[in-house]
Amino acid sequence: MNISEPLFQALSGQCQPKELDWLKEKSAKDTNSLSLSFVMVPRFIEKQELENEVLSQAASILPDWNWNGWTLDRLARVYLLSLCQERELSQDEYIKKINLLFDTAELNESVALYSAIPVLAYPEAWINRATDAVRSNVGLIFDAITFGNPYPKQYFSELAWNQLVLKCIFNDKPIHQIEGLEERNNEALVQTLVDFAHERWAANRRVPSQVWRLLVPYLNQEILPNIEKLIHSDSASDHLAAALVLAQSSLAEAKTLAEKYKNELPAVPNDAWGALERPEPIYQPA
């Protein structure tokens, strides 16, 4: 996939002329020079948030790609990485070059590398790197592979995917920003979430209310009592989550439960789960 040109066009929408001139000069260099340029980016490209016009170009370059939270220097680094696959390198040479960048990267370089994984050549070669990022204790690295990044959706195993989602939940991060959240949802993940909720409730703690959206396609008679518990919660967010699950489920018993508590459940808003897509610390008492 050749995406260097659209990436450069995106950069052109925000870079100053002298910044573009530097990128043009470096784009003509060999792979070794590109690697050095990747490291030197902060000296020549300003670290500023991407403007809305530039942000809107991400998904047109690669479906489900999202640059929210990116800075201009990160995008420039991803552009330079995209040029590497246009050089005449063997697969082994290419993978060795990129791995060297990973192995020697400081924090911001690592964030750019994980952000670029969706457009690196030989995508299967980066599975271990990507799953290592999920296990990372460095928040920026975890966020780079998790949010706005289509790579996990396409290449993670079910186990690795579930670990990613669960770590988001455990760390009070916004699961709705995970690309493929609904498509990759699965029964094993739902059961783990139910077990997790039981543990939190036993300790008089809460579960972030938007997490319950994952139960909708797998709601059954065994899980349904958990939704009824939400209805009896002291949290208005839990009440809304219960109303949404019951409204969206095709389970006949869900309709019955919704009718039973129709006077206690809030109206379902037009933006559905949007009202619950916010930080909601799970370590606060219910």
Side-chain angles (χ1 to χ4, degrees), residues 148-222:
N149 194 324
Y151 185 89
K153 171 187 172 181
Q154 286 187 273
Y155 296 103
F156 273 21
S157 67
E158 182 177 283
L159 178 61
W161 176 264
N162 291 354
Q163 289 174 337
L164 180 151
V165 177
L166 290 169
K167 187 168 181 179
C168 275
I169 295 168
F170 297 161
N171 289 282
D172 191 36
K173 289 179 177 285
I175 63 171
H176 63 280
Q177 294 180 17
I178 302 173
E179 299 299 332
L181 182 67
E182 294 182 2
E183 295 95 321
R184 290 298 307 270
N185 193 16
N186 59 84
E187 190 171 1
L189 175 60
V190 168
Q191 188 55 58
T192 302
L193 291 175
V194 170
D195 294 341
F196 171 67
H198 291 172
E199 293 175 4
R200 302 308 301 163
W201 288 337
N204 196 32
R205 306 288 184 178
R206 298 190 58 250
V207 174
S209 299
Q210 75 146 314
V211 167
W212 297 102
R213 71 201 305 160
L214 298 173
L215 270 64
V216 172
Y218 298 99
L219 191 64
N220 55 38
Q221 294 183 42
E222 289 73 29

Side-chain angles (χ1 to χ4, degrees), residues 40-60:
M40 295 172 60
V41 160
R43 301 184 191 178
F44 299 93
I45 307 295
E46 187 174 348
K47 185 174 185 176
Q48 56 178 267
E49 292 186 2
L50 295 182
E51 297 171 355
N52 288 336
E53 185 176 345
V54 176
L55 290 173
S56 66
Q57 298 182 54
S60 65

Side-chain angles (χ1 to χ4, degrees), residues 51-119:
E51 297 171 355
N52 288 336
E53 185 176 345
V54 176
L55 290 173
S56 66
Q57 298 182 54
S60 65
I61 296 174
L62 187 69
D64 298 325
W65 212 13
N66 187 319
W67 297 342
N68 286 335
W70 286 34
T71 52
L72 191 62
D73 60 323
R74 191 198 304 194
L75 183 57
R77 277 178 159 145
V78 172
Y79 165 68
L80 292 171
L81 289 170
S82 74
L83 292 170
C84 290
Q85 62 185 278
E86 298 174 16
R87 302 304 189 258
E88 294 183 0
L89 295 174
S90 69
Q91 178 174 341
D92 287 345
E93 290 173 325
Y94 177 88
I95 291 174
K96 183 178 180 180
K97 288 286 185 185
I98 300 298
N99 272 326
L100 181 60
L101 288 175
F102 270 111
D103 290 338
T104 58
E106 52 86 43
L107 178 58
N108 290 321
E109 293 166 6
S110 292
V111 169
L113 282 159
Y114 286 111
S115 299
I117 277 184
V119 293

Side-chain angles (χ1 to χ4, degrees), residues 258-269:
E259 179 63 24
K260 177 181 177 180
Y261 290 103
K262 63 181 180 181
N263 295 326
E264 300 176 43
L265 289 170
V268 173

Side-chain angles (χ1 to χ4, degrees), residues 246-259:
L246 295 177
Q248 294 177 355
S249 174
S250 59
L251 186 71
E253 289 83 355
K255 309 304 179 186
T256 302
L257 193 63
E259 179 63 24

Side-chain angles (χ1 to χ4, degrees), residues 1-11 61 79 82-83 86:
M1 182 194 327
N2 185 343
I3 66 156
S4 61
E5 184 174 344
L7 283 174
F8 185 81
Q9 291 302 316
L11 287 161
I61 296 174
Y79 165 68
S82 74
L83 292 170
E86 298 174 16

